Amino acid sequence: LSFADLAFEIASLYCAPDEIPPADLKDIMQNSYKSFNHAEIVPTVKVGDMYVMELFHGPTFAFKDVALQALGNVYEYFLKRNGRRLTVLGATSGDTGSAAIYGLRGKENV
């Protein structure tokens, strides 16, 4: 199961099919992780006798990219569907703001 497919399966538990049809949700999740620089998106590596998830392969190298790349695509989906626009102002010195802004970067109606 790919990471995008796993994300789809988990998101499906929280997204009603009448809100986001399964085919659309699958596309959203597939597109959400294209900017990650590792084929496995979030690889798991063995360190000693433990396994550790590497959450830094996203576009801003912050673990928050895992969620915020998908969230940006969900915003775009609803904004396009409802013919609405969204303005986002970000002011931060931390990695949350950059991950959030990058998740919305280039999205239609944002």
Side-chain angles (χ1 to χ4, degrees):
L1 192 63
S2 73
F3 186 83
D5 289 336
L6 178 60
F8 165 73
E9 293 296 331
I10 293 169
S12 294
L13 300 173
Y14 301 96
C15 296
D18 60 328
E19 281 294 325
I20 304 177
D24 292 349
L25 184 60
K26 191 164 191 76
D27 287 343
I28 288 169
M29 292 302 136
Q30 291 293 329
N31 290 327
S32 293
Y33 303 105
K34 288 182 177 178
S35 63
F36 281 63
N37 63 18
H38 195 285
E40 294 179 41
I41 312 304
V42 177
T44 302
V45 296
K46 188 169 185 177
V47 178
D49 60 349
M50 296 187 318
Y51 288 88
V52 178
M53 293 177 72
E54 294 182 347
L55 300 172
F56 54 81
H57 293 285
T60 70
F61 306 105
F63 72 90
K64 294 149 182 128
D65 288 326
V66 177
L68 293 172
Q69 288 297 301
L71 184 62
N73 287 327
V74 170
Y75 270 125
E76 181 181 47
Y77 178 83
F78 282 110
L79 292 169
K80 283 173 34 177
R81 185 173 85 178
N82 297 326
R84 307 271 316 261
R85 293 193 53 79
L86 175 68
T87 300
V88 177
L89 297 174
T92 181
S93 60
D95 60 354
T96 301
S98 59
I101 295 301
Y102 204 96
L104 295 171
R105 180 179 163 194
K107 303 297 184 220
E108 283 186 48
N109 298 343
V110 176

